[in-house]
Amino acid sequence: MLAMPDRDKVRRAIRYAQGILGLRKDDVILTSFPKSGNTWVRFFFCHVISLAEWGDRVVDFPTLDRTMPELGVNNLLLPWQHTTIPRIVKTHKGCWPIFRNRKSVLVIRDPRDTMVSFFHFENGKKTPRFKGTFSEFIRSEAFGLERWFKHYRSWVDHCTVLLRYEDLKVDDIAHFRRMLDALSIRMSDDLLAAAAERSRFGRVKKIERQFGQTKTDRFKADYMFARSGETGGWHDYFSNEDLEYYTELSRKYRLAHY
């Protein structure tokens, strides 16, 4: 009989196989490094569906995860039930060859702020996958800055449209419109504005407080997925040596957006 971790690996392998086999030509790949704004964009798309097809049903985290599929988590062989938008498939993976013949959205956030948010995310789990200081975290092979840069470099020359978290903070409606135009998705200004308003950080944080998370068993009781949503918070975490490390990687991977 398989032990629990082995069974989890088998289930994940099956889901990835279903995902690869189930990907369709009209699917849109929504990719980001963890804690970069992927959830914000997914909430936007899910609110579009809610407003257009459900009569403005509340979109909480469980509804989001039931509606918006993720590669390796959901069975992509199942049909897409919605007509308002094409299927949006989330992934944190690098740009695999199978992704390159499909439209895609790359969401990026200042990698320094991303590291801060990712560090809190991992430490918010009941069983953290990383134990160590923040400086050790950003240098770790599995979670750190270089992994962010590799993800960025794999996608930046292949994505259909790139969204910066910081630009969405300034004018989400304008940049969601730019994204929709690049994806050839037609949408009224009223629908776009309403979905954008319902997807902003304050609204999502309120929804999380009211209805909770999807996988509450994974996180400590006081953990909030929508933690702060701020930009520039990295100043309180990065030492001079950490910034030198970041600068070295920025040059090595030709970072053009920060």
Side-chain angles (χ1 to χ4, degrees), residues 168-224:
L168 289 173
K169 292 277 287 186
V170 173
D171 192 343
D172 53 354
I173 293 175
H175 289 283
F176 281 143
R177 172 58 72 193
R178 179 173 62 86
M179 174 188 70
L180 294 171
D181 289 345
L183 298 175
S184 301
I185 298 175
R186 295 183 179 181
M187 189 175 300
S188 71
D189 290 341
D190 288 344
L191 178 56
L192 189 160
E197 191 277 330
R198 285 160 174 76
S199 306
R200 289 172 186 154
F201 182 83
R203 287 287 294 265
V204 171
K205 191 162 188 171
K206 183 178 179 180
I207 287 293
E208 184 178 5
R209 285 173 174 162
Q210 185 175 358
F211 297 101
Q213 264 279 351
T214 304
K215 300 176 181 177
T216 54
D217 59 317
R218 293 177 55 193
F219 295 97
K220 298 172 184 176
D222 60 346
Y223 176 75
M224 292 287 290

Side-chain angles (χ1 to χ4, degrees), residues 6-229:
D6 293 327
R7 276 187 278 175
D8 289 343
K9 289 179 181 178
V10 170
R11 290 193 194 102
R12 179 57 64 91
I14 291 171
R15 289 301 187 197
Y16 271 108
Q18 290 171 333
I20 292 169
L21 292 172
L23 277 176
R24 302 195 306 244
K25 290 183 179 180
D26 60 343
D27 285 340
V28 175
I29 307 302
L30 175 61
T31 183
S32 74
F33 191 85
K35 304 303 292 180
S36 297
N38 197 306
T39 300
W40 186 352
V41 181
R42 292 173 79 224
F43 263 108
F44 168 75
F45 279 120
C46 199
H47 275 112
V48 167
I49 294 171
S50 174
L51 287 160
E53 301 180 24
W54 299 339
D56 195 12
R57 183 192 308 169
V58 171
V59 177
D60 55 15
F61 277 88
T63 302
L64 178 75
D65 290 336
R66 284 194 305 269
T67 307
M68 309 300 295
E70 178 177 356
L71 182 71
V73 175
N74 304 101
N75 182 0
L76 299 186
L77 292 170
L78 297 175
W80 178 239
Q81 301 290 336
H82 308 287
T83 58
T84 306
I85 57 172
R87 187 168 66 175
I88 313 296
V89 179
K90 169 190 173 182
T91 185
H92 291 309
K93 296 297 182 182
C95 189
W96 293 352
I98 196 172
F99 297 146
R100 293 185 183 179
N101 61 346
R102 291 169 177 82
K103 292 180 179 179
S104 59
V105 179
L106 170 63
V107 185
I108 64 171
R109 181 184 186 183
D110 188 314
R112 294 162 294 187
D113 280 329
T114 302
M115 287 294 108
V116 173
S117 186
F118 198 19
F119 180 70
H120 284 284
F121 174 77
E122 288 300 324
N123 280 290
K125 294 178 179 178
K126 292 178 180 177
T127 308
R129 296 180 296 172
F130 178 87
K131 295 182 180 179
T133 66
F134 179 75
S135 289
E136 292 169 337
F137 183 82
I138 67 171
R139 290 168 173 79
S140 70
E141 183 177 350
F143 305 100
L145 275 169
E146 189 151 25
R147 187 180 174 199
W148 185 98
F149 278 99
K150 288 179 178 178
H151 182 274
Y152 164 82
R153 181 46 54 191
S154 78
W155 275 103
V156 70
D157 295 328
H158 300 287
C159 62
T160 307
V161 59
L162 182 147
L163 292 180
R164 293 194 336 141
Y165 181 92
E166 294 78 14
D167 292 336
L168 289 173
K169 292 277 287 186
V170 173
D171 192 343
D172 53 354
I173 293 175
H175 289 283
F176 281 143
R177 172 58 72 193
R178 179 173 62 86
M179 174 188 70
L180 294 171
D181 289 345
L183 298 175
S184 301
I185 298 175
R186 295 183 179 181
M187 189 175 300
S188 71
D189 290 341
D190 288 344
L191 178 56
L192 189 160
E197 191 277 330
R198 285 160 174 76
S199 306
R200 289 172 186 154
F201 182 83
R203 287 287 294 265
V204 171
K205 191 162 188 171
K206 183 178 179 180
I207 287 293
E208 184 178 5
R209 285 173 174 162
Q210 185 175 358
F211 297 101
Q213 264 279 351
T214 304
K215 300 176 181 177
T216 54
D217 59 317
R218 293 177 55 193
F219 295 97
K220 298 172 184 176
D222 60 346
Y223 176 75
M224 292 287 290
F225 185 90
R227 190 179 62 88
S228 71

